[in-house]
């Protein structure tokens, strides 16, 4: 409070300087007189606000107009008296001019009003009527009605919309069991199984194998749409025709609709024939023959379309390789949707692509020959293409960060190790699908042939039993069979085993003694080998039997170089002598004409002092038909031990016994007693 | 933690714009419903003064209310459409769940494969043993 200082403001007592003369004298302005200051203030009065009020008051009090005019005049005179300095110079002509103008206009208006009132009073030219009240005040119920009606219409619209929303909400909830009808649940399931993306307003999917490593140019784009558009139309139709009590259209089982491009519709499969002189040896169908109609579930339709795409890719790869394949003596032929390759002379491999858009198969012969349907080639083709996909998409690791992607480790080392062109070219050579499938088919053919041949041989040859055991684990181009030759009743002592490896174009037999023999694909070679083995088996079995009976093996040879020349292979033979040395048995087993009785020849050798003719008359328990045969013709004359020995041939078919060994056992038993 | 990390990762330009557009559609629809409703309420008030003829005014009010009600319904349906769009967007772009599904499927198929392999191996062993005996019997029999 001590800081507050009271400041007094006063008008300065000095007057304003009007002029300064040359001698420095200041001429001061004279202060305004009372009348001058009044006139100055009067100019500032605003009569407008009061003028209106004055006008309103004058109109309300219309009767005393003349008196008021008198008052105004008096006022005017008063004002005139109040301004003696009326000629004071201002911007206007004189200070009270505005006052006078206002008063004059008021006078004019009042005069007019007075005239009107005068005329109205006479009621000759003008009549004054009371003003009617506003019509709005009279009709509020009608406005209310209008408003009510408008609100009712608006509420109808709202209720209709609400009903529609509720119906669409309830549609999903009311049928919880049929959850598949919900579009979004279906879409979620579709998304979990297929690749989808949104392009603009459409949802597009991809069923190609491109992400799995395929490089097939044809795309597999399909479109997903909502199937409810049609159902709504159908429902609308049903509603419109419900009065005619027509059954509603059958609803689709899915809320999704999948649109697959035309070229992928229908079904496709690849059929594989192996043909030999119009006889189908092996048959395989690739692809599902189950048709996928247009109204099938989307999963089935997409799988069918993907299968079509896969078959097309497979066939295009095969056709491309077939055209580029020059390593085969007869290059494969590509005609239309069919590839023909020669497996063996006279045996063709035919791979064809069948694609029917209508979804109806032209009843392939697979239906009739379903039983000999061979899934091996089908599976192999599938596997081969998948393998190609895999190698495309999987880069072998580890991979240096600076090396280009996609080349193998061996090729990366090509630079540092300075490989020459030939090595690099050899590295790029890759076996294609077609070559691989041809190899597999060749192997299948070869195996089938070998099976067939072994079975027929086992059927034909009864004496040593031929037992074939096929290995249960095979490679695609390599299988293995173990063959056991065994004489019935002498299983333990007479057994010959050999293994045959069946490859793509050749066979490899491994004999009992470890010899490996390579055979070509001709079945005759296998037959010759097996017949030789049977011949040797008989001799070997006889030797082991003779040891059991106490006979002595004088000589044995699996490949006799003497005697009749065999057409295939060599005969096997052995010489045995009885325990007391009185008799000699010479046996010659020839692979030729093995099925006949002449394949094995048995001779009994008599020492020079023995009298074989008497033996015939001695009524031996085992009758023998002994022919006179010169040993020289049989090839035994060269042997030292046989010097001077006379040989007689034995007719084996006359001997008792189930098989050769049995007969020989009987014979040896009889001859052992001879003294 | 994983979800937090995903939220922190900046979204691509287009997706962010799309999400903003969804947000805007939601707000626009709700705002449209509220505005139209309040306008209808305002129209329901009986007013004394009017420049135009009463019947004309009443028809105009009627029409305006109907249109505004229809606007509200449209906004509601737009909200439904928005829900459907968001669902679709989520389904199509929810890669973690797709990955989960793929992982689950691959587990399932691997398990099936193992199971099939095991069964096939058992079957093969059994068949091989039986086949050996059968071959032995067949080739030794007289019925071949």
């Amino acid at each position: 409070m001590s800081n507050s200082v009271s400041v007094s403001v006063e008008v300065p007592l000095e007057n304003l300087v009007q002029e300064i003369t040359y001698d420095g004298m200041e001429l001061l302005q004279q202060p305004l007189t009372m009348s001058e200051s009044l006139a100055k203030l009067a100019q500032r009065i605003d009569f407008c606000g009061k003028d209106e009020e004055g006008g309103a008051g004058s109109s309300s009090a219309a009767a005393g107009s003349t008196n008021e005019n008198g008052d105004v005049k008096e006022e005017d005179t008063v004002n005139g008296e109040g301004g003696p300095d009326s000629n004071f110079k201002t911007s206007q002509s004189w200070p009270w001019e505005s006052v006078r103008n206002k008063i004059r206009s008021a006078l004019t208006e009042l005069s007019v009003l007075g005239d009107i009132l005068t005329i109205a009073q006479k009621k000759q030219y003008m009549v004054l009527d009371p003003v009617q009240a506003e019509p709005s005040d009279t009709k509020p119920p009608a406005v209310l009605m209008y408003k009510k009606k408008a609100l009712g219409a608006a509420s109808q619209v709202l209720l209709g919309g609400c009903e529609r929303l509720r119906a669409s909400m309830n549609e999903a909830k009311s049928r919880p069991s049929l959850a598949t009808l919900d579009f979004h649940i279906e879409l979620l399931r579709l998304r979990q199984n297929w690749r989808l993306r949104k392009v603009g307003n459409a949802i597009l999917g991809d069923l190609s194998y491109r992400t799995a490593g395929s490089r097939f140019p044809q795309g597999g784009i399909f479109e997903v749409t909502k199937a409810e558009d049609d159902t709504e139309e159908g429902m609308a139709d049903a509603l419109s025709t419900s009065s005619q009590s027509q059954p509603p259209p059958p609803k689709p089982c899915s809320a999704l609709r999948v649109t697959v491009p035309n070229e992928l519709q229908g079904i496709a499969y690849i059929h594989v024939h192996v043909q030999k002189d119009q006889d189908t040896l092996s048959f395989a169908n690739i692809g599902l023959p189950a048709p996928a109609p247009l109204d099938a579930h989307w999963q089935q339709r997409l799988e069918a379309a993907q299968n079509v795409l896969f078959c097309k890719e497979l066939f295009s790869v095969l056709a491309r390789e077939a055209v580029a394949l020059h390593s085969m003596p007869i290059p494969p032929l590509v005609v239309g949707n069919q590839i023909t390759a020669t497996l063996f002379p006279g045996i063709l491999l035919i791979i064809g692509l069948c694609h029917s858009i209508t979804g109806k198969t032209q009843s392939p012969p697979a239906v009739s020959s379903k039983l000999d349907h061979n899934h091996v080639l089908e599976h192999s083709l599938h596997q081969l293409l998948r393998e190609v996909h895999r190698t495309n998409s999987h880069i072998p690791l580890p991979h240096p960060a600076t090396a280009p992607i996609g080349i193998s480790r061996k090729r990366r080392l090509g630079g540092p190790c300075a490989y020459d062109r030939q090595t690099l070219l050899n590295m790029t050579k890759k076996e294609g699908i077609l070559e691989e499938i041809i190899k597999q088919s060749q192997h299948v053919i070869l195996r089938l042939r070998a099976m067939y041949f072994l079975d027929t041989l086992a059927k034909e040859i009864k004496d040593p039993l031929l037992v074939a055991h096929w290995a249960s684990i095979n490679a695609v181009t390599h299988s293995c069979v173990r063959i056991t030759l065994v004489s019935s009743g002498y299983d333990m002592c007479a057994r010959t085993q050999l293994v045959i490896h069946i490859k793509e174009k050749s066979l490899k037999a491994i004999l009992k003694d470890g010899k490996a023999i390579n055979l070509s694909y001709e079945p005759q070679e296998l037959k010759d080998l097996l017949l030789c083995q049977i011949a040797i088996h008989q001799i070997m079995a006889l030797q082991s039997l003779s040891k059991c009976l106490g006979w002595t093996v004088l000589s044995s040879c699996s490949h006799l170089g003497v005697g009749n020349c065999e057409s295939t292979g060599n005969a096997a033979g052995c010489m045995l002598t009885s325990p007391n040395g009185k008799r000699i048995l010479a046996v010659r087993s020839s692979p030729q004409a093995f099925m006949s009785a002449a394949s094995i020849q048995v001779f009994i050798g008599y020492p020079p002092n023995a009298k074989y003719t008497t033996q015939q008359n001695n009524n031996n328990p085992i009758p023998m038909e002994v022919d006179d045969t010169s040993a020289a013709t049989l090839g035994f004359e060269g042997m030292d031990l046989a010097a001077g020995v006379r040989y007689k041939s034995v007719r084996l078919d006359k001997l008792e016994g189930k098989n050769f060994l049995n007969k020989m056992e009987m014979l040896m038993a009889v001859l052992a007693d001879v003294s | 933690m994983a979800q937090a990390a995903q939220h922190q990762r900046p979204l691509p330009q287009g997706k962010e714009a799309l999400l903003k557009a969804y947000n805007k559609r939601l707000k626009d629809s709700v705002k449209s419903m509220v505005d139209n409703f309040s306008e209808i309420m305002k129209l329901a008030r009986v007013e004394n003064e009017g420049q135009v003829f009463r019947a004309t005014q009443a028809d105009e009010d009627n029409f305006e209310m109907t249109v505004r009600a229809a606007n509200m319904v449209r906004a509601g349906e737009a909200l439904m459409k928005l829900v459907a769009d968001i669902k679709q967007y989520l389904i199509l772009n929810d890669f973690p769940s797709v990955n989960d599904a793929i992982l689950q499927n691959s587990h399932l198929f691997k398990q099936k494969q193992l199971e099939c392999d095991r069964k096939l191996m058992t079957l093969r062993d059994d068949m091989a043993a039986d086949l050996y005996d059968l071959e032995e019997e067949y080739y030794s029999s007289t019925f071949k």
Side-chain angles (χ1 to χ4, degrees), chain A residues 458 462 465, chain B residues 135-144:
Chain A
K462 304 277 188 188
L465 290 175
Chain B
E135 278 173 344
E136 194 86 28
E137 193 64 33
Y138 167 74
Y139 285 111
S140 310
S141 72
T142 55
F143 301 107
K144 60 194 175 186

Side-chain angles (χ1 to χ4, degrees), chain A residues 147 164 198 455 458 482, chain B residues 43 61 77 88 132 139 144:
Chain A
K147 294 278 180 190
R164 217 161 48 229
K198 189 155 187 175
D455 271 356
R482 201 178 73 214
Chain B
L43 282 175
D61 288 353
E77 282 176 357
Q88 206 179 67
Y132 191 89
Y139 285 111
K144 60 194 175 186

Side-chain angles (χ1 to χ4, degrees), chain A residues 194-253:
Chain A
W194 301 91
R195 294 194 305 127
L196 295 179
R197 67 200 155 93
K198 189 155 187 175
V199 178
N201 283 328
I203 304 173
L204 297 184
D206 192 4
L207 48 77
S208 70
Y209 283 95
R210 219 162 284 170
T211 48
S214 164
R215 285 172 190 168
F216 192 48
Q218 185 177 349
I221 304 289
F222 64 93
E223 189 180 356
V224 181
T225 48
K226 209 170 178 176
E228 275 182 1
D229 302 339
D230 291 352
T231 59
E232 277 183 3
E233 287 173 13
M235 282 172 70
D237 289 341
L239 285 176
S240 64
T241 58
S242 60
S243 58
Q244 301 163 7
S245 73
Q246 280 187 354
K251 288 178 182 173
C253 59

Side-chain angles (χ1 to χ4, degrees), chain A residues 154-368:
Chain A
S155 71
Q156 278 303 317
V157 173
L158 281 178
L159 282 175
C162 177
E163 195 60 37
R164 217 161 48 229
L165 287 185
R166 190 176 290 141
S168 69
M169 291 283 287
N170 286 341
E171 196 177 357
K173 288 181 183 172
S174 63
R175 285 172 293 187
S177 59
L178 299 175
T180 53
L181 283 174
D182 189 8
F183 173 73
H184 289 103
I185 291 178
E186 290 275 290
L187 189 66
L188 185 63
R189 286 190 194 149
L190 187 70
R191 178 73 182 102
Q192 283 172 352
N193 289 312
W194 301 91
R195 294 194 305 127
L196 295 179
R197 67 200 155 93
K198 189 155 187 175
V199 178
N201 283 328
I203 304 173
L204 297 184
D206 192 4
L207 48 77
S208 70
Y209 283 95
R210 219 162 284 170
T211 48
S214 164
R215 285 172 190 168
F216 192 48
Q218 185 177 349
I221 304 289
F222 64 93
E223 189 180 356
V224 181
T225 48
K226 209 170 178 176
E228 275 182 1
D229 302 339
D230 291 352
T231 59
E232 277 183 3
E233 287 173 13
M235 282 172 70
D237 289 341
L239 285 176
S240 64
T241 58
S242 60
S243 58
Q244 301 163 7
S245 73
Q246 280 187 354
K251 288 178 182 173
C253 59
S254 169
L256 272 185
R257 169 168 300 182
V258 173
T259 312
V260 177
N262 270 333
E263 62 266 20
L264 295 182
Q265 275 179 358
I267 61 163
Y269 59 92
I270 285 184
H271 64 91
V272 181
H273 291 279
V274 177
Q275 209 173 48
K276 178 192 181 187
D277 304 333
Q278 308 301 322
D279 292 337
T280 303
L281 292 180
S282 170
F283 187 89
N285 257 342
I286 292 186
L288 71 173
L294 283 176
D295 53 350
H297 195 249
W298 45 263
Q299 183 73 19
Q300 292 165 7
R301 291 192 57 212
L302 288 181
E303 280 172 4
Q306 198 170 33
N307 184 57
V308 171
L309 191 67
F310 186 81
C311 286
K312 282 190 169 185
E313 178 178 3
L314 184 55
F315 190 80
S316 79
V317 171
L318 286 175
R320 200 172 56 231
E321 285 179 4
V323 172
L325 190 64
H326 298 297
S327 61
M328 291 180 66
I330 304 173
L333 200 67
V334 184
V335 179
N337 276 348
Q338 191 161 306
I339 301 173
T340 310
T342 310
L343 296 180
F344 295 116
I347 297 184
L348 298 178
L349 172 74
I350 298 172
I351 303 173
L353 170 69
C354 293
H355 182 205
S356 71
I357 294 182
T358 56
K360 289 180 182 175
T361 56
Q362 57 267 28
S363 69
V367 179
S368 58

Side-chain angles (χ1 to χ4, degrees), chain A residues 600-647:
Chain A
I600 300 183
Q601 293 165 298
V602 180
F603 304 92
I604 301 174
Y606 297 93
N609 52 356
K611 293 181 179 177
Y612 65 92
T613 49
T614 57
Q615 192 184 17
Q616 198 175 11
N617 303 329
N618 280 346
N619 290 329
N620 257 327
I622 301 170
M624 292 185 291
E625 299 286 337
V626 180
D627 294 338
D628 259 327
T629 312
S630 164
T633 60
L634 300 172
F636 290 106
E637 81 278 17
M639 296 184 184
D640 289 340
L641 285 170
V645 177
R646 299 184 62 191
Y647 286 95

